Amino acid sequence: MKQLDSIARLINKFTKLPGVGVKTAQRYAYGVIDMSEADAAEFCAAIDDVKRTVRYCSECGNFSESELCAVCKTRDKRIITVVAYPKDVQALERASALKTSYHVLHGTLSPLDGRGPEDIRIKQLLARLDGVEEVILATNPDVEGEATAMYIAKLIKPLGIKTTRLAQGISMGSDIEYADEVTLARALTSRIEI
Amino acid sequence: MKQLDSIARLINKFTKLPGVGVKTAQRYAYGVIDMSEADAAEFCAAIDDVKRTVRYCSECGNFSESELCAVCKTRDKRIITVVAYPKDVQALERASALKTSYHVLHGTLSPLDGRGPEDIRIKQLLARLDGVEEVILATNPDVEGEATAMYIAKLIKPLGIKTTRLAQGISMGSDIEYADEVTLARALTSRIEI
């Protein structure tokens, strides 16, 4: 006896989510079967709601429910933090050490995957630099993130705008013993006087 | 800036799935935002479809799209395999070493969680034993699964029906070095002549 068609279809849909394989999808599908009718209906409504209302802010590229997002409407635009993805905005906002505006690139430069400067929102960033005093490049400290930050820095610095990068070093609460060498080397060369 | 309401709601819904925490739910919600409209609509349709069409077979308790499931309608009922959950039926069918009928208990006995014989489908099993020659107890080899199997065996054996349990031993492809002692002990006491 095979899996029922409707269950097989739902399993297949769950595998479309990031990082979900068949076994996990199966567990989720059984989870849906065990849900109350009301919970399942609310689940569908939430998916539908997000697809209907969430779009990207026309200025910064972050998630928004209107043409301009709440940050672009209200916040000071002298400092712009550049990130690769909307989820990075959430992470930075949770830390909330600085109240800056944002610019979401929607990707990083990646010659291997054929993603060049035209494929991410660099042009839109350059169009927003009027009156900007500092651009914080907050892409990930990996090969693609570094390359993207360096590329953008090269375009922006000649305009006389201060260009910074997130500090790199050992994480709070981490163990020096287990820190990787590259991180430790960066933490040493960027040491600060106390 | 907080998470948009609609996204926060979808994240909350994803946490209702088994084993999904907030971080994972967030990743799935962003996955939904990145989906095409069509994919999201199909996802909803699949959830809706499962909730509308899937119910439990009135005889064996397995997933079914009609009153009686395909197995109960067609398969020989002289051997019944008793499992705790519908997903176990799928696993046994994939192995498909034996074509038996099934009986899904929808749970195991668990005094700690207050689940007694009345809370799982034991009565329904006893009502199906007419003409049955063998009952295979295929509950998990853990404390609750063992207790459930023993309890059912005590009820069924006096009726003169052969009562068996899945063989326990080392898994195919596993390493004796890393097998736990209980499993190894069972494999030794249940050794077979070759």
Side-chain angles (χ1 to χ4, degrees):
Chain A
M1 190 198 62
K2 282 196 304 141
Q3 190 80 259
L4 290 182
D5 282 349
S6 55
I7 301 181
R9 233 173 1 247
L10 182 56
I11 292 173
N12 175 268
K13 289 303 160 201
F14 270 117
T15 61
K16 308 275 189 223
L17 293 174
V20 177
V22 175
K23 282 259 169 181
T24 309
Q26 207 167 326
R27 199 147 57 102
Y28 293 165
Y30 294 151
V32 168
I33 295 174
D34 286 339
M35 268 181 195
S36 69
E37 291 277 338
D39 273 348
E42 278 174 29
F43 192 4
C44 278
I47 291 176
D48 187 57
D49 205 30
V50 157
K51 293 308 289 182
R52 262 189 316 105
T53 64
V54 178
R55 42 172 161 169
Y56 297 115
C57 168
S58 62
E59 189 155 332
C60 74
N62 192 12
F63 296 137
S64 175
E65 282 172 344
S66 49
E67 179 71 19
L68 277 187
C69 73
V71 169
C72 283
K73 269 184 197 154
T74 59
R75 211 173 277 178
D76 186 11
K77 284 172 189 167
R78 277 174 302 180
I79 309 182
I80 293 183
T81 304
V82 176
V83 296
Y85 299 103
K87 62 186 176 198
D88 300 325
V89 174
Q90 285 303 322
L92 287 163
E93 282 288 304
R94 274 196 299 274
S96 73
L98 265 183
K99 295 290 180 202
T100 76
S101 286
Y102 292 94
H103 188 82
V104 184
L105 297 172
H106 286 276
T108 48
L109 296 178
S110 173
L112 278 179
D113 298 332
R115 271 202 312 279
E118 292 297 314
D119 300 313
I120 61 178
R121 299 180 69 251
I122 290 182
K123 211 168 55 191
Q124 290 89 329
L125 172 64
L126 299 177
R128 290 179 63 192
L129 295 181
D130 212 24
V132 170
E133 293 167 7
E134 179 176 354
V135 170
I136 304 176
L137 297 165
T139 50
N140 282 339
D142 54 18
V143 177
E144 297 182 358
E146 289 286 335
T148 308
M150 290 309 125
Y151 181 89
I152 295 174
K154 259 192 198 159
L155 294 173
I156 291 178
K157 275 180 118 170
L159 308 175
I161 298 170
K162 187 174 163 191
T163 312
T164 55
R165 184 104 177 84
L166 288 188
Q168 291 171 13
I170 49 172
S171 311
M172 287 299 291
S174 73
D175 235 317
I176 289 179
E177 183 182 353
Y178 301 120
D180 66 288
E181 302 96 56
V182 182
T183 300
L184 261 188
R186 293 253 179 158
L188 278 169
T189 54
S190 314
R191 67 192 178 281
I192 49 172
E193 207 172 308
I194 52 172
Chain B
M1 191 198 64
K2 283 196 305 144
Q3 191 80 260
L4 292 182
D5 281 349
S6 55
I7 301 180
R9 236 174 356 249
L10 182 56
I11 291 173
N12 175 268
K13 290 303 159 202
F14 270 118
T15 61
K16 308 274 189 225
L17 292 174
V20 177
V22 174
K23 283 259 169 182
T24 308
Q26 207 166 327
R27 199 148 55 101
Y28 293 164
Y30 294 151
V32 168
I33 295 174
D34 286 340
M35 268 182 195
S36 70
E37 292 276 336
D39 272 348
E42 279 174 29
F43 192 5
C44 279
I47 291 175
D48 187 57
D49 204 32
V50 157
K51 293 306 288 182
R52 262 190 316 103
T53 63
V54 177
R55 43 172 161 169
Y56 297 116
C57 168
S58 62
E59 188 154 332
C60 74
N62 191 12
F63 295 138
S64 175
E65 282 173 345
S66 48
E67 178 71 19
L68 277 187
C69 73
V71 169
C72 283
K73 269 184 197 151
T74 57
R75 212 174 275 179
D76 185 10
K77 285 173 190 167
R78 276 173 301 178
I79 308 182
I80 293 184
T81 304
V82 176
V83 297
Y85 299 103
K87 62 188 175 195
D88 300 325
V89 173
Q90 286 303 322
L92 288 163
E93 282 288 303
R94 275 197 299 274
S96 74
L98 265 183
K99 295 290 179 201
T100 76
S101 287
Y102 291 94
H103 188 82
V104 184
L105 296 171
H106 286 277
T108 48
L109 296 179
S110 172
L112 277 178
D113 298 332
R115 272 202 311 280
E118 292 298 313
D119 301 312
I120 61 177
R121 300 179 69 251
I122 291 181
K123 210 169 57 191
Q124 290 88 332
L125 173 64
L126 298 178
R128 289 179 64 192
L129 294 180
D130 212 24
V132 170
E133 293 168 6
E134 179 176 354
V135 171
I136 304 175
L137 297 164
T139 49
N140 282 340
D142 54 18
V143 178
E144 297 182 358
E146 289 285 335
T148 309
M150 290 308 127
Y151 182 89
I152 296 175
K154 259 191 198 161
L155 294 174
I156 292 178
K157 276 181 114 169
L159 308 175
I161 298 169
K162 187 172 163 191
T163 313
T164 55
R165 184 101 177 87
L166 287 187
Q168 290 171 12
I170 50 172
S171 312
M172 287 300 291
S174 73
D175 235 318
I176 289 178
E177 184 183 353
Y178 301 120
D180 65 288
E181 302 95 57
V182 182
T183 300
L184 261 188
R186 292 253 178 157
L188 279 169
T189 53
S190 315
R191 68 192 178 280
I192 48 172
E193 205 173 311
I194 52 170

